[in-house]
Structures are given as structure tokens and as C-alpha cells.
């Protein structure tokens, strides 16, 4: 299983909390850096789910490429230089959240 460092996980937690307007451990305990360390793709799932649930997507497949790209990277980290992609992932999530808050 691919793990990200705790500082990167804190950044993901911060973005999820900004979007949901919750404290640490919100969203049934999933808005938590400790969780994102071992499950970094879940930050994207939470962000996209929130946008979808609030009917704010610009189209039904708006985030498919984004989710598929990072799911593949994190599922097969050695083949995809996952450690080098973490910063891009955080930046993309931050950009998405910024559009919806």
C-alpha cells in the first residue's frame, strides 16, 4: 500500500475540511490526516462526492480523468513514480476545492 508523508496528508485534510466546513475527524472521521496517509485517494473521493451530492458538477464525467489518473498512480506506485506525483495531486485537489468554496 502506498503511503504519503504526514505533512502531505495534513494538506489533504485541510482541503477536505475547507470544502465540508468541518473540524478534524469530520465526515464520519474521514477528514483526518492519519487516514489520508494510507488512503490518499480518499481525499479526492470525498471532494468529488461532495461536489456531486450538491449538484455542482459541470458534467457527469467532469472528474473521471482526475480520479482515474490518481487511483492508478496510487494503486501502482512503483510503476508510476507516485512519490513524485503527490505534490501535483495536492495542487489539483486544492484547485478543485477553491472553485467550489
Amino acid at each position: 500500500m502506498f503511503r504519503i508523508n504526514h505533512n502531505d496528508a495534513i494538506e489533504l485534510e485541510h482541503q477536505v475540511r475547507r470544502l465540508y466546513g468541518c473540524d478534524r475527524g469530520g465526515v464520519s472521521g474521514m477528514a483526518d490526516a492519519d487516514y489520508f496517509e494510507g488512503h490518499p485517494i480518499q481525499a479526492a473521493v470525498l471532494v468529488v462526492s461532495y461536489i456531486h451530492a450538491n449538484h455542482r458538477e459541470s458534467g457527469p464525467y467532469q472528474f473521471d480523468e482526475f480520479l482515474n489518473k490518481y487511483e492508478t498512480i496510487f494503486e501502482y506506485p512503483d510503476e508510476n513514480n507516485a512519490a513524485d506525483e503527490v505534490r501535483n495531486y495536492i495542487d489539483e485537489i486544492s484547485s478543485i476545492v477553491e472553485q467550489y468554496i
Side-chain angles (χ1 to χ4, degrees), residues 45-80:
V45 170
L46 287 170
V47 166
V48 170
S49 297
Y50 179 92
I51 293 165
H52 177 75
N54 287 290
H55 309 286
R56 296 185 64 199
E57 289 177 299
S58 62
Y61 308 108
Q62 178 181 357
F63 298 108
D64 284 8
E65 185 177 327
F66 167 72
L67 288 171
N68 290 330
K69 173 184 173 182
Y70 287 106
E71 182 176 40
T72 300
I73 288 170
F74 295 144
E75 181 123 354
Y76 305 101
D78 296 332
E79 295 89 358
N80 293 294

